[in-house]
Amino acid sequence: MKKVTNPIRTAIVRKVVDENYRVKTIELECDLPKALPGQFLMVWVPGAGEKPMSIGNSNPLTISVANVGKVSGELHELKPGGMVSFRGPLGKPFNIPERAKCILVVGGGYGVVPMYFLAKVARENKIDTLAVVGAKTAKDIVWEKQLFTVCKEVFITTDDGTRGMKGNVLAEAQRLIEGKKIDSVYACGPERMMEAVARLCMQHNVPCEVSVERYMKCGVGVCGSCAIGGKLCCVDGPVFSAQEALSFPEFGKAHRDASGRRI
Amino acid sequence: MASLECAFFKKRIKNPIILASGVLGMTKGSLEAACENGCGGVIAKSLTLEPRKGHDGPNIVETECGLLNAMGYPNPGIESGLAEFGGWARDEALIISIVGKDAGEFGQLAARVEEAKKTLGASAIEAAISCPHTPGYGTMAGQGTPESIKEITRAIKDKCSLPLIIKLSPSIPGEGKAAKAAEDAGADAINMGNSLGPGMKIDLARRKPILGFGVGGLTGPAIKPIIVRAVHDIYRSVKIPIIGTGGITTGEDAIEMMMAGASWVSAGSAVYYRGPKAFGEIAKEMKAWMEGNGVKSLPEITGCCP
C-alpha cells in the first residue's frame, strides 16, 4: 500500500507556559527526531483552520504561539491533556557550515523560538552560539532563559530601552560581526530586521540565512499562496540565504494576503 | 528527431505541457518559474469579479492515491489579477482563467479581459465551470449542464475575442454532450479535467473531516483513468481541440492522454509528486518515448486510440 508522505499526527499537550500577554508555549508528549531547526509544522485546529508554526524544539516537540487569530486563539485555550494535530516537519532547515566554530543568531520578537532550536543543535555539535535578541519592550522578550542554557552569550536590545541596550538588534549584530570570528549568521523576526541583517552580512562577507514568512495554505508546494520571487516559502524556504532573499523583489517590501493581493 | 513543438492557437509552443490553473499560479513570478521549469504554457489562478480569500484550511490533504483539495478559489479579483499577470512577453502561452457565478458574471469578466487584451499578452481565456467544492461556482452551481454551458460560452464569446477554452468537470454525466454544447456555442477548445468529486478524508484521532471545507476535489494518479476515458469520449463528440487534465505525472501519462484525443495536457499535482521541475521531466520522457517508438510529431498520436 502506498504511504502518505505528510500524514496528520495528533499529540497530547504536556505543558502550557504563559510567556507574556500574547505568547504561549505548548510542549507536546511527542518527539519529532527528524525535525531540524528552521523547519515548520502546519498545525490544524479542527473547525478553526490550519497555520504554519515554526518548531521551537523537537524533543519534546514544542511550539510557541502568539494569539493573533482563530487558530492561535484556539491553541491558547489548550490545557495539559488537550490535543494538537499537525503535519510536518516541512520546509528547508537552516544550514550550519562544516567546521563552523561560532555562529550568531538574531531573533526579533518571537522569532527567537526557532533560534533556540538552532542554538541547541549547534551546542550538541560543539559549536558556540552568540545570540542577539530584539523586542519592542521588556515584556515582549520570550524564551530568554532557554536561550541562556544553549548560548555562549546572549545580548538583549529593546526599542524603548526597558531591557538591555536601547535600540534595535542591528548595532549589536554589527558589533559582534566586526569584533568576533563568526562563521555564519541566522535571523528570524520582522522582515525589515532580517533584510538589514542580510545586507550587513553581505557587506561583511559572512554567510547568512533568514527565515521568511508568507501567507501559507497548502504547505507542500502546490497552491502557490506563499510565492516570493519565483520561489515558494513552504518548500523552497522558509529558510533562504541572504543572497537569495535579497534577490526577491518583494523581500522587506510587500506581502500578499489570503486572496493573493499585494499588501 | 522527435519534436514536442506544437501550435497553441496563434502561437507555437515548445511542448504541449501546460500548468493547470490553481496550482502555483498565484503570481507572475510563479508562472515564469513554471515556464523555466519546462512548461509550454501556463494557466493563471482563476479570477473572480471580487477578491476571494478562499476556504479555511486545511486546504489540501494527501490521500493514499492522490490529493484532495478545497482551496475555494482564493484570488485577488479580476482587476488586481490582470495587473499581476499582464505584460506577458514570453514564448510560452499564458491563459487567463475566469470563474463566475452565472453567465452574467462570466460576461463581465470576459469584457474586462477584452479591455486588457492589448497589454495582457494572453493567448487564450479559459472559463472553469467545473469546481466541485465552491458554493455558487462550478458543479455546486449546476454549471455542468449543456444548457448552462451554452449560455456561459455565448456570454464570454460575446464579450471577448481571445480563443475560449471551456474547462469541464469529469464529475458530470455525459462529458461528450457537454463538450458538444460548448462547441456549438462557439468554444475554441475543451479542457477536460478538474478535480474529481467531491471526496472526503476523515482524521481518525479527531474523528472529523480534515479539509476546512469538509469536502474537496481529488487530483493525482487516482483520477487519470477517468480523465483518459472522458477525453476519449469528447474526442468523438467534437472537432475542437482538447486539453487533457488529471493525474499526469509522467511522460507516458501525457502520451496516453494524447492517444485518447488530447492535443495538449495540463499538470498540477505532478509538482507535489515530482517537485517544480516536473514539467521539464515530463517533456523529456515524452520525447524519449516518441524517439523510442518512431513518432516524429505530436499530431501523429493525438486521438490515435480508436
Side-chain angles (χ1 to χ4, degrees), chain A residues 1-10 44-50 70 83-85 87 217-218 220-225 227 229-232 236 250 256-262, chain B residues 22-27 29-30 33 45 51-64 67 71 74-76 80 84 201 203 205-206 208-210 221 268 271-273 276:
Chain A
M1 198 59 208
K2 206 176 161 190
K3 268 177 68 184
V4 170
T5 325
N6 295 300
I8 290 188
R9 298 173 57 177
T10 296
W44 170 43
V45 175
E50 189 187 40
K70 233 176 359 173
M83 286 191 282
V84 171
S85 299
R87 292 183 282 150
K217 290 191 174 181
C218 78
V220 289
V222 178
C223 78
S225 298
K231 295 292 172 79
L232 296 174
D236 299 313
E250 306 98 313
R256 286 173 197 272
D257 66 9
S259 78
R261 265 181 306 180
R262 283 174 80 102
Chain B
V23 177
L24 303 176
M26 190 67 118
T27 67
S30 294
K45 204 84 158 178
R52 289 176 56 91
K53 70 181 188 69
H55 295 318
D56 280 343
N59 296 108
I60 291 189
V61 59
E62 189 188 348
T63 76
E64 298 77 4
L67 298 175
M71 296 303 298
N75 79 91
S80 307
E84 172 75 34
K201 184 174 166 77
D203 184 73
R206 296 297 191 130
K208 284 188 175 131
I210 294 170
V271 302
Y272 179 74
Y273 294 103

Side-chain angles (χ1 to χ4, degrees), chain A residues 12 15 25 27 55 68 77-78 87 101-102 125 128 138 147-148 179 186 201 206 219 227 241 243 248 263:
Chain A
I12 302 297
K15 204 164 93 180
T25 294
E27 194 181 297
I55 298 169
V68 292
E77 299 295 315
L78 282 172
R87 292 183 282 150
K101 289 197 174 64
C102 180
N125 289 289
D128 287 336
L147 271 182
F148 273 105
Y186 306 88
C201 292
V206 181
S241 71
Q243 205 165 3
F248 300 143
I263 45 174

